[in-house]
Amino acid sequence: MKKRVGVFVCQCGTNIEANVDTEKVAEYARNLPGVVYSTTYKYMCSDPGQEMIRNAVKEQQLQQVVVASCSPRMHENTFRRAVEAGGLNGYLFEMVNIREQDSWVHHDRGEATRKAMDLVRMGVMKVLKNKPLNISTIPITKKALVVGGGIAGMQTALDIAEAGHPVILVEKEASIGGKMTQIDKTFPTMDCAA
Amino acid sequence: MSINEANAWQPKVIVFACNWCSYAAADLAGLNHLEYPAEVRIIRTPCSGRMDPLLVMRALNRGADGVLLSG
Amino acid sequence: MVAVAQHPNIELMTYSEVVKVTGYIGNFTATIKKKAKYVDWDLCTGCGTCWEKCPSKKIKDEFEMDMANRTAIHKLFPQAVPGKPRIDAANCTKLTSGKCGICEKLCPTKAIRFDDKDELVDVEVGAMVMATGYDLIDWQNSYGEYGYGKYPDVITSLQFERLVSAGGPTTGKIKRPSDGKEPKKVAFIKCVGSRDDSKGKSYCSRACCMYTAKHAYQVKDKIPGSEAYVFYMDVRTGGKNYEEFYQRSLNAGAKYIRGRVSKIYPRGDKLILKSEDTLLGRPMEFEADLVVLATAMVPAQNSLQLAKMIGFSVDKDGWYQEAHPKLQPVETFAAGVYLAGSCQGPKDIPDSVAQASAAAVKVCGLFSKTRMAVEPMTSEVDISKCSGCQLCVPICPYSAISMKEIQERGGHGHGPFTRQVAEVNSSLCQGCGACLPACRTAALNLKGFTDEQLVAEVDSLCL
């Protein structure tokens, strides 16, 4: 696979920029093996930020993308979609966490910047080993099993059934209704429970 | 050399963190701005079950001063 | 209830339990045990001849909280849905000793089946909703100060519900279980087992404040000249119209005393409660005719085994664990398994219904697609390296790895031969990678977190 890595360093307003010199990180990334493009932006997850990624993938013919920003638990899918919109397989992408695990926990700008560089280097090294992955699909059996025939189970079963799907309602007692059938009137309206 | 001196030697610690708990916890630490030494480097793993002892050996072999496996 | 039974899209399986679940989101196979009812419900009309004539009449009626008797062949309660009886095998003389069989002789549709057996059926479903509800805490074993259940006039709120219900054993007249007299002074004790780290549970059961307000109101409403006293720690009325309802009880004359009851003991035909009024800062002694305990909700019996069998987690108290307390309150960590009602934590009816509808929407959302995408970061096997040792098979927590036979061409003087190699079901595989360290020949790799990728990360950090 060709090595043409693009690195996108997010400033997250000042969330990252306050403790990490993102320009310096982007410049450092430019000299890493395989990196052909590197830039910073104020909000990489915003529309213009994503557009930046899409366009760079196309114009720079990027083969791999690294985004250094917040936690992948936050925006991995956002950026994966942006990479795919640029025409690249979404799994030729890695995210580097320089916010939750860097700028927010290290207050020495020099140290945090150095760590961000390390993390970006890690991301670039990893992404060079990435392979395109294809999402497969599985069929869905459109039938639901509801376990328990009390007020909650009955309501769920009714709602799913009303939407047009078959439902099996399993109840361990010989009648549905659950605890509710033992209750006399119910607060706050004093309706009868049955 | 005292570790309190400027530019003092800091141990390089590699953390292998499970995506679902420890990595999330590290994110949470970030969210709460809890400071810890910057020499800590976290590698995300899908689960601590993924961890091959050889990866720990590799890290130590290549110069890591400590490895924390958390999951 | 009737709407559920009559809905053309709902298949009811009562007196049944889920005993096994395999598969994954969109493609579960559940094995359901239809327990023996000894009555053919297809033939039974629910006419009632059998339970009217059944000679075993002295069995404690669980539905009436043991405050009435029932027969061996019985309906759970008169308005049961379906309205058909079953035979309680442990208490039926025909099934235990071979004698009797009166119901069989009298049944006009010949629906009695003494040779009925438990039956297992497999069903294919795409999603599951757990709605296993709650039970009440076993207070009799832990609350010695309230008499370990040996005073008949110390009852639970659910027993009180039966006493006050028009369909209950007293047709709605509040009577003392001991002597059938109408109580004039009723004491309610809240938080029995709830918010009690030492003997019960640390959590609040959430519904008790309101139903106790209701019970106190019902005492005042049904018994002229009666007194209703509520011993409480706090009054929690967080819900629409709840505070107003509580005020209605107060206006009806219910008296609230802030304090924990430390002991109950009988004196004559009365019960004496020792307590404290913490607002006055005074110890007090209180005489009551009937004491009602608002006992804590606990997860339903066997709900833990069910969770383990299906494969999702429970919290420290055994309630079913939601995937996220705020953002995914009806999902579990097992894809395709959702939660409704108090199996997830103590809940009142409005909250249970709301959560039930939320779970239904999650299911309908899933069912709006014919196929669904699966995460491609799964394990894969390089069969050229796999030695067929099978070490990975028991390691997989999702049972996603099985062995298959492949044909080899042979060579070096050997003819074609077959051998076993591992195969990963990518729909079941959750991508944890636990199989990788188990593989002696490095035939397994995890897409997205391959050995090469992780080694590259380690090396880059350890420059």
Side-chain angles (χ1 to χ4, degrees), chain C residues 379 390-402 423-425 428-436 438 444:
Chain C
S379 285
Q390 308 194 9
L391 279 173
C392 52
V393 177
I395 294 278
C396 177
Y398 308 99
S399 308
I401 307 179
S402 55
E423 182 180 40
V424 177
N425 179 333
L428 287 174
C429 177
Q430 300 291 309
C432 73
C435 50
L436 271 70
L444 280 160

Side-chain angles (χ1 to χ4, degrees), chain B residues 8-63:
Chain B
W9 173 82
Q10 290 276 336
K12 179 168 272 186
V13 178
I14 306 286
V15 181
F16 292 98
C18 161
N19 177 54
W20 305 104
C21 54
S22 310
Y23 194 89
D27 280 356
L28 200 60
L31 218 56
N32 290 304
H33 297 257
L34 303 173
E35 204 169 351
Y36 55 86
E39 287 306 313
V40 173
R41 300 280 185 273
I42 299 177
I43 295 179
R44 184 161 72 129
T45 66
C47 167
S48 43
R50 164 71 184 87
M51 278 308 298
D52 201 307
L54 292 173
L55 282 167
V56 179
M57 300 306 291
R58 179 93 178 190
L60 295 170
N61 204 10
R62 293 281 164 135

Side-chain angles (χ1 to χ4, degrees), chain A residues 115-182:
Chain A
K115 179 170 178 177
M117 291 175 183
D118 271 10
L119 293 176
V120 166
R121 188 173 69 240
M122 176 178 85
V124 170
M125 292 311 188
K126 183 181 186 190
V127 83
L128 288 172
K129 303 285 182 191
N130 281 19
K131 294 195 177 104
L133 299 178
N134 293 317
I135 289 173
S136 59
T137 63
I138 50 169
I140 294 167
T141 308
K142 296 187 185 186
K143 187 176 193 176
L145 174 66
V146 177
V147 185
I151 179 81
M154 290 194 297
Q155 184 68 47
T156 306
L158 271 178
D159 286 350
I160 299 171
E162 276 297 302
H165 304 296
V167 182
I168 298 170
L169 180 57
V170 173
E171 166 57 48
K172 69 178 174 191
E173 298 293 343
S175 169
I176 53 169
K179 290 273 187 303
M180 187 198 67
T181 55
Q182 290 173 283

Side-chain angles (χ1 to χ4, degrees), chain A residues 91 121 130 136-143 145 147 159 161-162 167 169 171 173 175-176 179 182 184-185, chain C residues 7 9 11 13 15-16 26-27 63 81 126-127 129 131 161 214 218 357 370-372 374 376 427 453 460:
Chain A
Y91 291 86
R121 188 173 69 240
N130 281 19
S136 59
T137 63
I138 50 169
I140 294 167
T141 308
K142 296 187 185 186
K143 187 176 193 176
L145 174 66
V147 185
D159 286 350
E162 276 297 302
V167 182
L169 180 57
E171 166 57 48
E173 298 293 343
S175 169
I176 53 169
K179 290 273 187 303
Q182 290 173 283
D184 177 39
K185 290 172 176 144
Chain C
H7 203 291
N9 281 343
E11 182 186 343
M13 285 192 180
Y15 208 52
S16 300
N27 303 273
F63 184 83
V81 176
V129 180
E161 289 284 355
K214 180 193 77 170
Q218 284 175 314
S357 290
T370 312
R371 299 183 71 84
M372 68 174 289
V374 286
S427 304
Q453 286 172 299
S460 72

Side-chain angles (χ1 to χ4, degrees), chain A residues 3-182:
Chain A
K3 294 178 180 178
R4 286 188 71 81
V5 186
V7 177
F8 300 83
V9 186
C10 179
Q11 297 171 341
C12 195
T14 57
N15 274 308
I16 294 170
E17 183 60 26
N19 285 335
V20 172
D21 187 339
T22 52
E23 285 302 337
K24 212 168 156 185
V25 174
E27 198 187 311
Y28 171 80
R30 230 163 272 146
N31 296 313
L32 288 169
V35 177
V36 295
Y37 181 82
S38 159
T39 187
T40 63
Y41 187 63
K42 202 167 261 310
Y43 293 106
M44 211 50 95
C45 60
S46 67
D47 254 353
Q50 291 187 48
E51 197 184 343
M52 227 166 155
I53 297 173
R54 280 198 300 274
N55 292 341
V57 169
K58 283 184 200 142
E59 287 158 15
Q60 307 288 329
Q61 286 123 49
L62 299 180
Q63 298 297 312
Q64 292 89 8
V65 171
V66 172
V67 176
S69 58
C70 52
S71 171
R73 294 174 55 86
M74 183 116 182
H75 273 313
E76 193 167 48
N77 279 328
T78 312
F79 293 125
R80 186 166 283 152
R81 280 197 298 272
V83 169
E84 280 166 355
L88 194 60
N89 183 284
Y91 291 86
L92 294 170
F93 151 74
E94 282 297 324
M95 213 168 153
V96 173
N97 188 339
I98 59 165
R99 191 179 74 169
E100 282 85 345
Q101 297 181 9
D102 190 7
S103 71
W104 277 353
V105 285
H106 309 307
H107 298 160
D108 182 303
R109 201 157 193 253
E111 281 188 354
T113 304
R114 207 151 40 80
K115 179 170 178 177
M117 291 175 183
D118 271 10
L119 293 176
V120 166
R121 188 173 69 240
M122 176 178 85
V124 170
M125 292 311 188
K126 183 181 186 190
V127 83
L128 288 172
K129 303 285 182 191
N130 281 19
K131 294 195 177 104
L133 299 178
N134 293 317
I135 289 173
S136 59
T137 63
I138 50 169
I140 294 167
T141 308
K142 296 187 185 186
K143 187 176 193 176
L145 174 66
V146 177
V147 185
I151 179 81
M154 290 194 297
Q155 184 68 47
T156 306
L158 271 178
D159 286 350
I160 299 171
E162 276 297 302
H165 304 296
V167 182
I168 298 170
L169 180 57
V170 173
E171 166 57 48
K172 69 178 174 191
E173 298 293 343
S175 169
I176 53 169
K179 290 273 187 303
M180 187 198 67
T181 55
Q182 290 173 283

